[in-house]
Amino acid sequence: MADTFDRPGATTKVVVATTVALSFISFWRGASIVLSDLASTMFYVGGITEQAIGKSAPWFVLGVMFFGFAVRSIYMESCGMFVRGGVYVVVRDSIGPRMAKLSVSALVVDYILTGPISSVSAGQYLGRLLNELSEFAHSSVRVNPNYFSACFGVVVTIYFWWQNVKGIHESSSKALRIMQITTVMVVILLIWCPITLLFQDNVHLPPAPTLKNLTFEPHSLGWLHGTVWPTIWAAAMLIAFGHSLLAMSGFETLAQIYREIAYPKMKNLKITANIVCVYALMSTGLISLFAVMIIPDAVRSNYYDNLIGGLAMSLAGPEILKLCFHIFVVIVGALILSGAVNTSIIGANGVLNRVAEDGVLVPWFRKPHKTYGTTSRIVAMITIAQLATIVFSRGDVYLLGEAYAFGVVWSFALKGMGVLALRFQRHDQEYKMPFNLHFGKLEIPIGLGVTTMALFLVAIANLFTKKIATIYGVSFTIVLFIIFTLSEYLNAKRRQSKDVKGLEEFNLDHQPQIGTTSMHARPGCVLVAVRDPYNMEHLRRVLEKTNLRRHDIVVATVRPISTGAGEYGLAEDQIFSSYEQELFSRVVTLAEKEGKPVDLLVVPATDPFVAMVQAAQNLKASRLVTGVSHTMASEELARRIGLAWEQLPEPRHPFSLEIIAQDRQSTYVNLGPHPPRLWPEDVDRLHEIWLRLTSREGFGSNLHHRDVVGAALRRLESELDSPRRDELVDELKNEMRNPPVDSGS
């Protein structure tokens, strides 16, 4: 690196890590993330499906849940192939560029519609509960459920837009807690519903899913109304199945979390997928069945938009107990459905980011937010589309459900087609969907082929039976297709002109793992984290004060990999984008000004905190230096980095963290076990206690200061589990509120 400042025109080397730095999660946490999306359909799919096909709807919902095991296998086979590049690259290489753009467009439509139907459905549950509470209190105040749900959906969507602009995503721990609460609701229903059926005089299962029991409404047949197709058994089954396929939406989230599943990845992915399918079958499938069996036919249509709320109020038991459970159902629904809104924005943002990385969107879309560093323009585009959808629907859950089913089935069908094409082009699948025939070297994927064909048949049926959904979906897909095509053309022209004036050219050295050998940095180096080319005061200070005879300087940036695109890895030429080129050009300018060489490093990761501590450990750095964060206080930043350090495997390399602010002194934190920096008065207090014990209590010279500290810590540890716990906690909080003027840890 020293040559950079001695030889004019020399290109600076940048070490690019090709392995993504990840914080791995268990299959339980992975399943909770997927179920936060997929299990949310239990709140609206039963009512939507019954409106479309009649009282036989629960059997088709159950059928979709069983069919989900086959779709699960498509995603598992897709995840099991090591593919560099986003979904656009994968489908483009297997089928072609036009079909790739179409596939991405359908997936984005799917994600965009997830948010409106989830938020509006939550609003329906809340609005109708308010009306019931008002009626219970003998008040005449009522809200219009549709308008209330639309307003609620707008508020929730704007809230999660702002959260994503700031880059604050829901953690797997929060998703796990939400699913734990949801599971409590499901278990109560699975116990209470059979008990209710025991008290009923006449218990009848829903009508069998036969042609004569299907009661299609004109709006559920679309362009097929008045034709012979609904009278043909096979066509009628496809139409009914298409209206029910909405229950399976959310499987695309399985691909998002694959890269973060802990080792052994494929084994844990199978467990995750099986947990998801069984849970969805027991919750969405059985609850839809119980709703038709328990809620009286005369009033069930009143609960189509809040079916579980109606089920809660139709259970056996005291009215006040049922009302309390209904309130609990609404709280659970608001939690899980609102979480699905956030998942939809993250997922769509991830897909569009990967499309941009694959060269299909112009760099303007990925330009980071000046304050938060997020791709706020893409997030804003997604949010505007979701808000327009909510306003257009006016809170009509059925209309949104029909549109959503259109996006879901085409997303699945095109996914299956891409995996089927890759089956014949590649032979490195870690997992293959079952039911394959072998004739010598020829393999015929029966299971994959039949599943893909079934998805396409259902997709075609939906195309003709959902008028508004087809118009919306096709129009939106065409708009996205045109944007992708024009952007790809502009990107191609830009690459030809090489319009990168004023930026350094870098020599990229791709390394699968980062260490002292690949970086040529000595142990004890200073690792400086940068991300904003216009916020590098901390780097300037490090360059000023670091003695290069003792410490090398490594400047690193985290290449954000969206959690919404975890199925595929980045290609090597995608990790170092134009933004990293601009960023490191600024770094080189500062380094040249100080006359000090620096090593440059790019680390792709979904979690920047994990990436930085992993890099510091691998490089055996003595200090990690960051600037202040625009999204959190320095104390919170230090805490998050400390938590990431605690997640490192043993043995963990200890180092110090320095947070540099422009207008105040640096904050230092030692990561890992370390001697605390005691206040002077605490040192005096310790010494006074030691003197008292040695002179008055007869310990003599055998007692040391460390013995006093050790005894005090053991006493504190034991009393934290005693009745004095609250008193000790209050004393510690008071100590934190009134520290001496100096700082330390």
Side-chain angles (χ1 to χ4, degrees):
M1 282 298 304
D3 292 345
T4 302
F5 306 106
D6 298 335
R7 289 188 294 107
T11 56
T12 305
K13 186 179 82 170
V14 179
V15 174
V16 180
T18 56
T19 302
V20 178
L22 295 171
S23 55
F24 296 104
I25 59 177
S26 66
F27 54 79
W28 285 113
R29 291 181 184 272
S32 68
I33 294 172
V34 179
L35 285 169
S36 294
D37 191 358
L38 192 145
S40 65
T41 61
M42 78 173 89
F43 284 88
Y44 52 79
V45 68
I48 291 174
T49 307
E50 187 173 349
Q51 287 184 74
I53 66 175
K55 200 175 176 180
S56 299
W59 299 120
F60 287 94
V61 173
L62 281 168
V64 167
M65 294 294 94
F66 281 108
F67 186 63
F69 284 89
V71 175
R72 168 215 63 170
S73 295
I74 291 179
Y75 277 90
M76 286 170 57
E77 179 167 336
S78 174
C79 291
M81 289 182 287
F82 182 76
V83 181
R84 286 290 186 187
V87 64
Y88 172 78
V89 170
V90 174
V91 180
R92 181 197 65 193
D93 293 345
S94 59
I95 306 174
R98 288 188 178 86
M99 192 58 70
K101 296 185 186 74
L102 185 64
S103 178
V104 170
S105 301
L107 183 58
V108 172
V109 170
D110 178 7
Y111 275 123
I112 286 176
L113 287 169
T114 301
I117 191 172
S118 298
S119 60
V120 168
S121 180
Q124 286 280 354
Y125 273 82
L126 184 57
R128 293 177 186 274
L129 174 64
L130 292 176
N131 286 342
E132 289 184 24
L133 290 174
S134 178
E135 183 179 350
F136 190 80
H138 304 290
S139 171
S140 60
V141 178
R142 298 290 187 274
V143 298
N144 183 301
N146 283 3
Y147 291 156
F148 178 87
S149 62
C151 293
F152 181 83
V154 168
V155 172
V156 170
T157 304
I158 291 175
Y159 169 77
F160 282 114
W161 160 75
W162 183 237
Q163 290 295 97
N164 279 271
V165 167
K166 292 190 294 183
I168 302 174
H169 300 313
E170 302 299 306
S171 66
S172 61
S173 299
K174 187 172 290 186
L176 184 60
R177 286 195 294 272
I178 290 175
M179 286 314 304
Q180 287 169 344
I181 298 171
T182 305
T183 302
V184 172
M185 182 201 76
V186 171
V187 170
I188 292 174
L189 281 171
L190 294 182
I191 295 173
W192 202 344
C193 287
I195 293 174
T196 299
L197 292 174
L198 289 176
F199 285 95
Q200 286 188 354
D201 295 330
N202 298 314
V203 177
H204 299 287
L205 288 170
T210 60
L211 182 59
K212 67 176 183 179
N213 290 330
L214 293 176
T215 55
F216 294 117
E217 296 293 332
H219 59 75
S220 62
L221 290 175
W223 287 294
L224 297 184
H225 178 60
T227 68
V228 71
W229 290 104
T231 63
I232 301 174
W233 180 86
M237 293 300 109
L238 283 175
I239 294 170
F241 200 79
H243 284 290
S244 312
L245 198 75
L246 181 64
M248 202 168 54
S249 64
F251 264 114
E252 60 275 5
T253 313
L254 189 67
Q256 295 178 23
I257 56 98
Y258 168 65
R259 290 177 66 82
E260 297 183 55
I261 291 287
Y263 180 84
K265 296 183 77 66
M266 184 51 66
K267 178 183 177 181
N268 285 335
L269 182 67
K270 288 180 183 178
I271 297 172
T272 300
N274 288 333
I275 291 172
V276 167
C277 289
V278 172
Y279 191 102
L281 178 65
M282 298 297 293
S283 58
T284 306
L286 291 183
I287 288 173
S288 299
L289 184 68
F290 284 136
V292 172
M293 295 175 68
I294 293 174
I295 304 175
D297 292 349
V299 299
R300 194 167 56 254
S301 60
N302 298 330
Y303 294 107
Y304 279 155
D305 292 335
N306 66 328
L307 198 64
I308 301 181
L311 180 59
M313 297 306 295
S314 302
L315 295 170
E319 287 297 318
I320 187 66
L321 183 60
K322 293 189 290 185
L323 183 61
C324 290
F325 182 60
H326 187 189
I327 294 172
F328 177 62
V329 166
V330 172
I331 292 172
V332 173
L335 286 173
I336 193 171
L337 289 166
S338 297
V341 177
N342 191 42
T343 302
S344 72
I345 297 176
I346 294 173
N349 185 34
V351 171
L352 290 174
N353 265 279
R354 294 309 307 273
V355 169
E357 290 153 358
D358 293 334
V360 184
L361 280 179
V362 292
W364 180 88
F365 287 99
R366 288 193 66 245
K367 188 175 180 62
H369 191 280
K370 290 184 178 179
T371 303
Y372 302 112
T374 56
T375 50
S376 57
R377 292 175 177 175
I378 291 179
V379 173
M381 184 171 68
I382 296 163
T383 305
I384 290 170
Q386 291 187 331
L387 291 174
T389 302
I390 293 171
V391 173
F392 175 77
S393 72
R394 297 181 182 179
D396 188 338
V397 174
Y398 179 80
L399 179 63
L400 288 170
E402 293 290 271
Y404 189 27
F406 175 90
V408 168
V409 68
W410 279 104
S411 174
F412 286 160
L414 292 170
K415 178 75 171 184
M417 185 172 64
V419 174
L420 183 63
L422 287 172
R423 177 70 75 89
F424 293 100
Q425 298 173 13
R426 300 178 55 154
H427 305 283
D428 59 343
Q429 291 89 347
E430 188 177 351
Y431 170 87
K432 289 185 177 181
M433 189 171 180
F435 306 109
N436 303 295
L437 294 180
H438 295 271
F439 297 97
K441 294 184 178 180
L442 178 65
E443 179 184 69
I444 303 177
I446 301 296
L448 181 58
V450 170
T451 303
T452 302
M453 183 175 67
L455 286 169
F456 264 100
L457 288 174
V458 174
I460 292 170
N462 276 7
L463 196 66
F464 290 100
T465 58
K466 302 178 186 296
K467 276 187 178 181
I468 297 178
T470 298
I471 294 170
Y472 175 94
V474 171
S475 301
F476 206 99
T477 301
I478 290 173
V479 169
L480 287 173
F481 186 89
I482 293 172
I483 291 174
F484 293 155
T485 303
L486 291 176
S487 295
E488 191 174 35
Y489 173 75
L490 293 174
N491 273 338
K493 289 193 66 176
R494 182 174 177 274
R495 284 193 296 269
Q496 290 175 0
S497 63
K498 295 183 179 180
D499 186 18
V500 289
K501 298 177 182 178
L503 298 182
E504 294 277 343
E505 291 296 329
F506 294 96
N507 175 27
L508 304 184
D509 179 14
H510 295 91
Q511 296 286 342
Q513 296 293 337
I514 298 304
T516 53
T517 54
S518 58
M519 292 299 302
H520 306 295
R522 295 168 294 175
C525 63
V526 178
L527 179 64
V528 185
V530 297
R531 191 57 197 164
D532 184 355
Y534 305 104
N535 182 22
M536 290 194 176
E537 174 63 20
H538 60 299
L539 173 60
R540 188 187 64 79
R541 286 202 202 175
V542 170
L543 288 168
E544 282 183 352
K545 66 183 182 181
T546 301
N547 185 346
L548 294 183
R549 293 181 180 179
R550 299 179 59 187
H551 304 287
D552 294 324
I553 301 174
V554 178
V555 181
T557 186
V558 175
R559 172 68 161 88
I561 305 297
S562 173
T563 54
E567 181 180 5
Y568 304 114
L570 285 172
E572 291 184 351
D573 59 350
Q574 293 175 326
I575 298 174
F576 192 82
S577 67
S578 58
Y579 184 80
E580 281 70 36
Q581 184 181 17
E582 179 185 0
L583 180 70
F584 279 157
S585 295
R586 175 66 175 158
V587 171
V588 169
T589 299
L590 288 175
E592 287 179 341
K593 186 177 180 180
E594 293 294 330
K596 293 181 178 179
V598 295
D599 282 320
L600 302 177
L601 170 65
V602 181
V603 182
T606 57
D607 188 327
F609 305 110
V610 171
M612 284 295 100
V613 297
Q614 284 186 7
Q617 167 145 303
N618 293 341
L619 294 172
K620 296 180 172 58
S622 61
R623 189 164 83 253
L624 170 62
V625 182
T626 75
V628 293
S629 171
H630 294 292
T631 60
M632 64 187 74
S634 296
E635 293 77 12
E636 176 63 14
L637 175 63
R639 188 187 72 85
R640 296 280 292 274
I641 294 176
L643 289 175
W645 184 88
E646 294 290 347
Q647 295 174 10
L648 291 174
E650 297 283 0
R652 294 190 287 263
H653 171 69
F655 56 89
S656 62
L657 168 67
E658 181 182 4
I659 302 175
I660 297 178
Q662 190 168 2
D663 54 350
R664 60 178 184 269
Q665 291 185 339
S666 298
T667 300
Y668 290 92
V669 177
N670 291 315
L671 300 181
H674 58 276
R677 295 174 59 196
L678 298 176
W679 309 129
E681 53 265 41
D682 289 332
V683 175
D684 292 340
R685 183 178 294 111
L686 172 61
H687 188 64
E688 289 294 332
I689 294 172
W690 176 81
L691 285 174
R692 176 180 173 181
L693 292 172
T694 54
S695 60
R696 301 180 190 176
E697 306 298 337
F699 284 94
S701 61
N702 292 326
L703 182 69
H704 299 282
H705 289 74
R706 66 174 179 268
D707 301 322
V708 178
V709 174
L713 289 174
R714 286 190 294 273
R715 182 69 176 271
L716 175 63
E717 184 179 27
S718 65
E719 292 196 358
L720 281 173
D721 296 323
S722 72
R724 294 193 58 213
R725 177 186 177 279
D726 293 340
E727 179 185 343
L728 289 171
V729 170
D730 289 339
E731 186 175 344
L732 286 171
K733 289 180 178 178
N734 184 62
E735 186 74 15
M736 292 169 59
R737 284 193 294 265
N738 301 285
V741 177
D742 195 11
S743 63
S745 64

